[in-house]
Amino acid sequence: MKSSALLPEKLHGYNYKKERWINLGKLAPVLFPFLVVSFIFSFFILCPPYPFPKSMPKGVFYHKHLFIKPQRQSPDGDHLNSLIKPLSENEKLITPPKDAENLIKPKPLQQILNNPIKGNENWSKPLPEKKKSWSTSEIKNLKKPALEDDGDEKCDLFKGHWVPDANGSVYTNSSCITIPSSKNCFMQGRPDSGFLNWRWKPDDCELPRFNPKSFLESVRAKKMTFIGDSVARNHMESLLCLLSKEETPKDVHKDSEDRNRVWYFPNHNFTLSTIWTKFLVDGEERMINGSGAGIFDLYLDKLDINWFHDLPTVDIAIISAGHWFFRPIILHESSKIYGCIYCDEPNVSNLDVSVVIKSVFEAVFRQINKCNQCKQGLVTLLRTFSPSHFENGMWNTGGGCRRNEPFSEKDINVESHDMLMRKSQVEAIQQAKEEGKKSGKNFGVLDITRAMLMRPDGHPHAYWGNKWMKGYNDCVHWCLPGPIDVWGDFLMAVLRRLSLVS
């Protein structure tokens, strides 16, 4: 006998067709509000209160209520309009300035819809009149930087002014892993970042942006050495960060005092090194009872062997010096006392630092021209004096550098001692250039003094993390990233003019 549970329709006379109609009727009160809500939702999707334009210009995308047309790319592939370029995860450490909203403040939407962006029309607008300072809100109205130099070698790249630049630095203190802690101002707590939003603008031409790819291709299988004090090291560290955008170098040598370093770029067989020297020429500190007396003897007819013995292996030498000369120094030449700085020696001429600097660099360039073991075509570049910006005292008397924006041209003293140091150095290399034509050596100048006089905002100040010298400020070296990165632009432009960089 079959179970009644298996035959429900026969036993109970169940009318399934009738029941289905009854259930649909019960659902009608629920379905009607659902249809009304769906209609209202669809209406707002099709007709929003702030509609998109019926037709958008080709190549324009909607981004945070702004219609932004992509700008053409620079030679290294980076968009000039960095406002729409997302940063990678390792480039998000630096926070924008507090007033950054003024930097990218959008225009009213209706104004944008009525006046869509057209190509690079703003590039033809003249630069605004130079003035003492700039607000970050003015940056968006400025002329975009040109990608290439105008090709006029008569143009003075080193005479100009700083203009606001929305692009900022090409690297950050997180994307460049070689920044030393003493130059990593953001890691040490520097709160402002507006000092990164400036670029150098020569008066009569454009300074091309540093292109790491072109640079590395041009120095393939070469060795470049920075010769000088800790500011020369600072320069090399800046260049390392600029080049790291193309290739990460290998740290292949560091001495026990971390003064001499060697980095290697295997993909380009390029070696980058720095050799530390106080005076470039041979010098020693006088000792009294086993302690340094703070008085130095310099010998103009002998170069510091620490760097000169390595010169025959170098293709490009970048030479600088200056800050160690502001102390008591006795100068010797041909076994005779030539003069002194800050001394009370009887019957010895007390010389200005700039005079001694000229004598030292003349001696250095003279020996380089006489170097028969050096490579034919050796390039020697003079990097001129890098100014400090201590205010209200010196480094050991409470001086600091708290400014957060550049000086204008009217704010600097072109007759200052910094410029006098620079003048002595440039005069010394002019004669070396003429002699170099006979010896097969090439000489050039990275004339950074004037540009850096205008950047009191670029130093670490208190943000340099030296636990042994707390309370002292660093207004000699430069933050990384920072204004010192323009030295890379200068370097590439000078090498290009020497036909060494394409």
Side-chain angles (χ1 to χ4, degrees), residues 354-368:
S354 62
V355 174
V356 176
I357 280 287
K358 184 177 181 180
S359 297
V360 166
F361 276 91
E362 285 177 340
V364 168
F365 297 142
R366 186 165 52 248
Q367 291 298 322
I368 290 176

Side-chain angles (χ1 to χ4, degrees), residues 23 30 39 57 74 101 214 237 292 342-343 370 373 392-393 404 407 492 498:
N23 289 340
V30 178
F39 175 80
S74 60
E101 65 272 9
S214 295
E237 291 160 347
Y342 307 134
C343 71
K370 291 181 179 179
Q373 295 77 29
N392 302 315
N404 55 20
F407 286 144
M492 191 162 185
L498 291 173

